[in-house]
Amino acid sequence: MPSLYSTLYTAYTLLTLPVRLLSWWLYYIPKSNRPNPAWSWKTAVTLQIIILVIRYRTVTRYRTPKSLEPGPDGDRFIVVNPQFTISNLNPNANLEIKSDSESESESPVYKGTLTSVPAVEPLPVGAAWFPSTPRQPPKRLIIHFHASAYVLFGPRPSDGTGWGPTSFSEISEWPLLSVQYRLSLDADKTFPAAVQDGLTVYIYALEVLKIPASQIVFSGESAGGNLILALLRYITEENAVIPLPRCALLWSPWVDMTHRSLERMVAHRNYRSDYIEYGLGVWGASAYIPPGWEDDHPFLSPLVSERNLRLSVPLFIEVGTSEVLYDDILEFAGQMKKNGTEVEVREAINGVHATFGVACNLGMLEVAVEGHVCAAKFIARIEEKLKE
């Protein structure tokens, strides 16, 4: 049941909504009043509505409904079960491989850091196809992780997050599978639950769909980008028998969830021109980080810990010039380049956080589509390099 405070806050939000809408409509008519003068009136007003919705869900600790039932998404929604053995091994790995007869607790798939929180175990995970269900098993695949702060939203078309995945799938001409990874709304869903789910879908693509790793691309928005970096770190440092994907696309990745970084957000020059607020960051970080863990752990805050990590997976990183994580993301990209990782950075001019998917609502279609085109060219360029 909702608490008394949540009930009162809901009533307050609803009662004041008409006045807020009217004030925003009037206040943002002059360009000088808009958070970014280059924005349209629609973008400025819609941003405030998005902020209001996210702030409401943050204050009331809204629980995004999750189900493994297809519901209105029909056959576009699938359920993937964890697989505890793997045959499609990395041919370059020089490690001892455990046999299929060994116990699940000794699985060559889930081990090390991914089994470091006893309450968190691999479970079936849902996923949604974009733009539609393939008629036959695809020969290549984008595995996508939606934005969430690890506490909100979902991957389904019915979750309202379908424009970005659909647009990017159509532009790149790659089928896309968006993962319904676990949100950290309960004690048994902290890290590494979401990373386990990402690995489950990746192994499904390798083992069941029989797609070569070189024909798989990771894509992730915000927390989804954070998830990808944890997954790549896990494979690189702890489980090299699993082959790495062709490349990874990070759309406004969350690279630092330390409390120090969250406090800096409030004073950032872009704080008024983005919908990411301190309260959401605190909720997401506190929910996702397991009890007793430091917030600068390498699997949580890659900006703090990537100084010595080199990835053999090329990275495409998009960052909005009006987003509050702008400086963190550019610093992270610079660190990775310095370490020898191939990195391409694309700045979405006047874009907010995770423009990839939210642009449709904000009236920033051209900015987002340009990013989709750049990422599609990046994927193709990496393929050409692999052929050389």
Side-chain angles (χ1 to χ4, degrees), residues 56-118:
Y56 169 78
R57 293 186 174 188
T58 300
V59 170
T60 60
R61 294 298 192 262
Y62 177 81
R63 295 182 67 89
T64 301
K66 293 294 177 186
S67 171
L68 293 181
E69 296 298 323
D73 300 308
D75 64 359
R76 290 184 65 176
F77 186 80
I78 63 172
V79 176
V80 179
N81 292 306
Q83 186 159 319
F84 295 93
T85 60
I86 179 171
S87 59
N88 192 355
L89 302 176
N90 179 1
N92 298 318
N94 184 23
L95 298 174
E96 179 182 354
I97 310 303
K98 298 182 179 181
S99 67
D100 293 356
S101 62
E102 290 177 326
S103 67
E104 293 183 357
S105 63
E106 298 176 324
S107 164
V109 177
Y110 310 93
K111 61 181 183 179
T113 301
L114 291 201
T115 58
S116 59
V117 181

Side-chain angles (χ1 to χ4, degrees), residues 25-47:
W25 288 339
L26 296 174
Y27 182 74
Y28 290 124
I29 290 176
K31 289 186 176 181
S32 58
N33 287 344
R34 298 169 192 171
N36 184 330
W39 287 354
S40 68
W41 173 86
K42 175 186 176 181
T43 297
V45 172
T46 305
L47 179 72

Side-chain angles (χ1 to χ4, degrees), residues 297-341:
H297 189 281
F299 278 80
L300 305 174
S301 297
L303 175 60
V304 182
S305 57
E306 296 294 19
R307 302 190 187 280
N308 298 313
L309 177 66
R310 178 186 180 277
L311 293 175
S312 59
V313 175
L315 302 179
F316 172 90
I317 301 177
E318 181 178 87
V319 56
T321 60
S322 291
E323 74 166 288
V324 73
L325 301 184
Y326 178 82
D327 295 331
D328 280 357
I329 294 170
L330 286 188
E331 182 181 350
F332 168 77
Q335 283 185 10
M336 295 303 291
K337 284 183 179 180
K338 185 177 180 180
N339 295 346
T341 300

Side-chain angles (χ1 to χ4, degrees), residues 220-223 225-226 229 250-256 261 264 268-269 274 276 302-303 315-337 343-348 351-355:
E221 308 167 67
S222 189
N226 180 281
L229 291 169
L250 309 178
W251 313 90
S252 298
W254 191 9
V255 294
D256 189 351
S261 174
R264 289 200 305 264
H268 195 275
R269 64 188 179 281
D274 205 355
I276 301 299
L303 175 60
L315 302 179
F316 172 90
I317 301 177
E318 181 178 87
V319 56
T321 60
S322 291
E323 74 166 288
V324 73
L325 301 184
Y326 178 82
D327 295 331
D328 280 357
I329 294 170
L330 286 188
E331 182 181 350
F332 168 77
Q335 283 185 10
M336 295 303 291
K337 284 183 179 180
V343 179
E344 179 178 315
V345 176
R346 189 253 171 184
E347 295 192 23
V352 297
H353 182 69
T355 306

Side-chain angles (χ1 to χ4, degrees), residues 108-264:
V109 177
Y110 310 93
K111 61 181 183 179
T113 301
L114 291 201
T115 58
S116 59
V117 181
V120 179
E121 299 179 350
L123 295 174
V125 55
W129 286 105
F130 289 90
S132 59
T133 307
R135 295 182 179 179
Q136 56 188 6
K139 296 182 179 180
R140 57 185 186 176
L141 180 67
I142 295 171
I143 299 177
H144 185 74
F145 303 94
H146 65 88
S148 66
Y150 289 116
V151 287
L152 288 172
F153 311 126
R156 300 172 180 246
S158 56
D159 289 326
T161 58
W163 179 83
T166 297
S167 170
F168 184 52
S169 177
E170 292 175 344
I171 287 174
S172 66
E173 298 182 338
W174 282 56
L176 184 148
L177 190 59
S178 188
V179 182
Q180 184 177 274
Y181 58 88
R182 281 169 283 179
L183 301 180
S184 301
L185 301 176
D186 299 293
D188 62 346
K189 297 181 180 67
T190 66
F191 174 89
V195 185
Q196 288 178 352
D197 293 343
L199 183 59
T200 293
V201 175
Y202 184 43
I203 298 301
Y204 166 77
L206 293 170
E207 296 287 291
V208 179
L209 297 181
K210 302 297 183 182
I211 303 174
S214 63
Q215 298 301 310
I216 296 175
V217 171
F218 288 169
S219 168
E221 308 167 67
S222 189
N226 180 281
L227 190 163
I228 287 174
L229 291 169
L231 187 52
L232 293 178
R233 176 182 285 275
Y234 169 71
I235 296 173
T236 299
E237 295 187 341
E238 300 185 13
N239 206 344
V241 299
I242 299 175
L244 287 162
R246 173 187 297 188
C247 58
L249 316 174
L250 309 178
W251 313 90
S252 298
W254 191 9
V255 294
D256 189 351
M257 61 175 62
T258 62
H259 193 72
R260 179 177 61 257
S261 174
L262 295 174
E263 288 179 332
R264 289 200 305 264

